[in-house]
Amino acid sequence: MSGFFVAFVHKGDAGNYGVSFPDAPGAIAVGSSVGEALEGSRKALRSHMNTMEDEGFAVPVAREIDEVLADPEFDEDRAEALLVASVAPAPKVGKSVRINISVDEFVLERIDTAAEKSGLTRSKFLVEGALRYA
């Protein structure tokens, strides 16, 4: 189990893109571009998993990509897909915890500059950066 879900990206009739997950039926995302659809797919996948858990259903488990690609149940979906990708669900959101950390003042200046350029707070910038490596 990799934690990354196989995603099929399809182009819709209206020019938009949709993302579906063979191992998480019902989780879908759409966007006006492939990138937008894939970005939304992380949140859609997390939302779907949270809903399943809240309703008392088993939470979907990700299979390895080779296993999904070899599954004949998804031959048609795979053949029609514009792209096959691996997507990790957005992190489960919990309670925010205040922490104190020590950072070199010059590094902190670079963090603040990068956060401002990204339109993020310092905290949000640090969290998003850490989640990219998690």
Side-chain angles (χ1 to χ4, degrees):
M1 289 178 270
S2 68
F4 284 80
F5 284 77
V6 174
F8 293 149
V9 180
H10 293 90
K11 186 166 186 170
D13 294 335
N16 58 348
Y17 296 86
V19 179
S20 63
F21 302 91
D23 289 336
I28 58 167
V30 295
S32 59
S33 68
V34 172
E36 186 179 290
L38 283 172
E39 181 60 33
S41 70
R42 298 183 71 233
K43 292 177 184 173
L45 189 53
R46 169 55 57 205
S47 178
H48 180 73
M49 293 171 77
N50 289 346
T51 300
M52 297 286 291
E53 190 174 67
D54 291 348
E55 298 293 324
F57 295 104
V59 175
V61 176
R63 293 182 288 168
E64 294 296 331
I65 191 166
D66 291 336
E67 188 178 348
V68 174
L69 294 177
D71 189 336
E73 181 180 347
F74 302 107
D75 284 349
E76 187 176 328
D77 289 337
R78 187 176 53 255
E80 295 175 358
L82 173 71
L83 174 71
V84 176
S86 291
V87 175
K92 194 165 190 170
V93 179
K95 178 181 146 191
S96 291
V97 177
R98 186 174 195 76
I99 62 168
N100 292 317
I101 61 172
S102 297
V103 178
D104 177 272
E105 64 185 314
F106 297 107
V107 172
L108 183 59
E109 186 176 314
R110 291 188 68 193
I111 290 170
D112 287 342
T113 299
E116 186 176 331
K117 284 181 182 178
S118 301
L120 302 172
T121 64
R122 179 191 294 161
S123 294
K124 182 76 171 169
F125 180 80
L126 291 171
V127 167
E128 287 193 9
L131 289 172
R132 290 183 185 200
Y133 289 97

